[in-house]
């Protein structure tokens, strides 16, 4: 594949990447611009929207109108200022713009943060539709319900590193890292007969400017051994499509003496 991790934004867009940021007004929309202008931020260079540096605002307005209708965006129209829209409708405008060109990859970072239930359901439906179309959707979230509801595969991160990765069912029903165990114990169960007590993970994450020598989770892990504090655990297979980085999954560990 083509490594675009250090590529400029325009090249990433041209290679089929879309981005739904956590901060919608900080990184995706310009408050002082109109709906039609925000809708065309990625596409205004295309021949159908501009010629010789002159933008065809009539066509931009038509595109915005199609977004408003298709995604049921509640706004005063394509010439309304974006800052007058609700958070949910602003987010739908971003999704309309980002998915218009049928991207190959969509990076969605906390896409429903701060939204109400109705708006959340709408955003989730759009992401699922894109996944079913064939796009790869990378969802970044701390909402475990959202993750296990939407994702086929789940990667659990701690202190900037992936510590477990597997299918949604594997990570939920057969977690193999103590941090994942802690996350699931802190997750409310929706079943009416559930009386399980929620347990938080004690302690605080490590200082990433001065990371620990061994496993980053060792200081908060009730199962930590001396080897955990001295050596980084390797990533090992714990299932057909399931891996975890924890010494508890290893038959042989380094000599602690």
């Amino acid at each position: 594949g083509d490594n675009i991790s250090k590529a400029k934004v325009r090249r990433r867009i041209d290679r089929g990447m879309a981005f739904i940021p956590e901060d919608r007004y900080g990184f995706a929309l310009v408050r002082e611009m109109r709906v039609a202008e925000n809708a065309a931020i990625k596409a205004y260079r295309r021949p159908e929207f501009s010629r010789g540096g002159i933008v065809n605002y009539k066509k931009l307005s038509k595109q915005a109108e199609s977004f408003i209708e298709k995604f049921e965006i509640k706004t005063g129209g394509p010439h309304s200022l974006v800052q007058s829209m609700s958070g949910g409708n602003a987010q739908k405008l971003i999704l309309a713009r980002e998915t218009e060109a049928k991207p190959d990859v969509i990076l969605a970072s906390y896409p429903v943060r701060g939204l109400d239930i109705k708006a959340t359901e709408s955003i989730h439906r759009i992401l699922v539709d894109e996944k079913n179309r064939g796009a790869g959707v990378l969802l970044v979230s701390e909402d475990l319900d959202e993750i296990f509801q939407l994702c086929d595969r789940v990667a659990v991160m701690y202190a900037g590193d992936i510590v477990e990765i597997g299918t949604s069912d594997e990570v939920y029903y057969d977690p193999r890292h103590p941090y994942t165990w802690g996350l699931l114990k802190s997750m409310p169960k929706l079943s009416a007969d559930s009386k399980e007590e929620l347990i938080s993970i004690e302690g605080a994450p490590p200082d990433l400017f001065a990371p620990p020598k061994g496993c980053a989770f060792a200081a908060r892990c009730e199962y930590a051994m001396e080897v955990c504090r001295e050596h980084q655990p390797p990533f090992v297979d714990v299932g057909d499509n399931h891996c975890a980085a924890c010494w508890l999954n290893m038959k042989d560990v380094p000599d602690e003496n």
Side-chain angles (χ1 to χ4, degrees):
D2 187 6
N3 186 348
I4 59 172
S5 60
K6 296 182 180 180
K8 293 183 178 180
V9 173
R10 177 56 56 183
R11 174 164 168 72
R12 296 182 186 188
I13 293 171
D14 292 341
R15 293 297 295 163
M17 183 176 181
F19 179 44
I20 296 102
E22 174 186 356
D23 183 352
R24 59 186 70 96
Y25 287 112
F27 295 100
L29 299 174
V30 181
R31 289 177 180 271
E32 296 77 14
M33 288 173 60
R34 304 179 189 281
V35 171
E37 294 166 334
N38 274 284
I41 283 176
K42 292 178 66 174
Y44 73 93
R45 293 185 179 187
R46 298 201 318 233
E48 62 264 38
F49 297 120
S50 65
R51 291 284 179 89
I54 300 175
V55 176
N56 188 325
Y57 281 93
K58 186 175 181 180
K59 289 188 176 180
L60 294 188
S61 295
K62 276 193 171 184
Q63 177 186 247
E65 288 172 356
S66 70
F67 286 173
I68 291 169
E69 180 180 358
K70 180 179 178 180
F71 289 84
E72 299 179 346
I73 301 170
K74 294 181 180 179
T75 178
H79 301 295
S80 299
L81 293 177
V82 162
Q83 63 187 5
S84 66
M85 299 169 64
S86 69
N89 285 295
Q91 195 73 333
K92 285 195 282 187
L93 175 60
I94 295 169
L95 276 151
R97 182 187 70 204
E98 294 299 309
T99 60
E100 178 265 340
K102 293 181 170 48
D104 298 320
V105 177
I106 301 173
L107 173 56
S109 179
Y110 301 91
V112 298
R113 174 165 285 182
L115 303 185
D116 60 31
I117 293 176
K118 186 175 181 181
T120 294
E121 290 177 346
S122 179
I123 300 303
H124 283 172
R125 185 170 60 252
I126 294 170
L127 291 176
V128 170
D129 287 344
E130 285 300 302
K131 181 188 75 170
N132 292 338
R133 177 182 63 78
V137 181
L138 178 59
L139 172 66
V140 180
S141 177
E142 295 173 356
D143 185 333
L144 298 182
D145 284 324
E146 178 181 44
I147 290 169
F148 287 116
Q149 176 188 346
L150 298 180
C151 298
D152 297 320
R153 290 182 62 77
V154 174
V156 180
M157 296 188 70
Y158 184 78
D161 291 321
I162 294 176
V163 296
E164 182 167 2
I165 187 168
T167 66
S168 181
D169 283 346
E170 285 171 332
V171 173
Y172 185 83
Y173 293 109
D174 186 27
R176 301 298 292 273
H177 193 282
Y179 179 58
T180 312
W181 300 341
L183 289 177
L184 293 173
K185 287 179 181 178
S186 69
M187 179 181 177
K189 305 297 188 295
L190 298 181
S191 57
D193 58 346
S194 176
K195 297 181 180 180
E196 185 177 347
E197 180 183 358
L198 300 183
I199 302 173
S200 62
I201 303 174
E202 295 184 0
D207 180 356
L208 297 184
F209 290 102
K213 182 178 180 181
C215 174
F217 189 62
R220 306 176 70 187
C221 179
E222 61 181 297
Y223 307 99
M225 304 173 286
E226 186 61 29
V227 65
C228 303
R229 299 180 179 88
E230 294 295 325
H231 301 279
Q232 287 277 0
F235 236 92
V236 296
D237 293 331
V238 293
D240 291 339
N241 297 289
H242 193 185
C243 300
C246 179
W247 288 114
L248 295 175
N249 297 309
M250 300 288 292
K251 294 180 180 179
D252 299 314
V253 299
D255 189 349
E256 298 178 15
N257 297 319

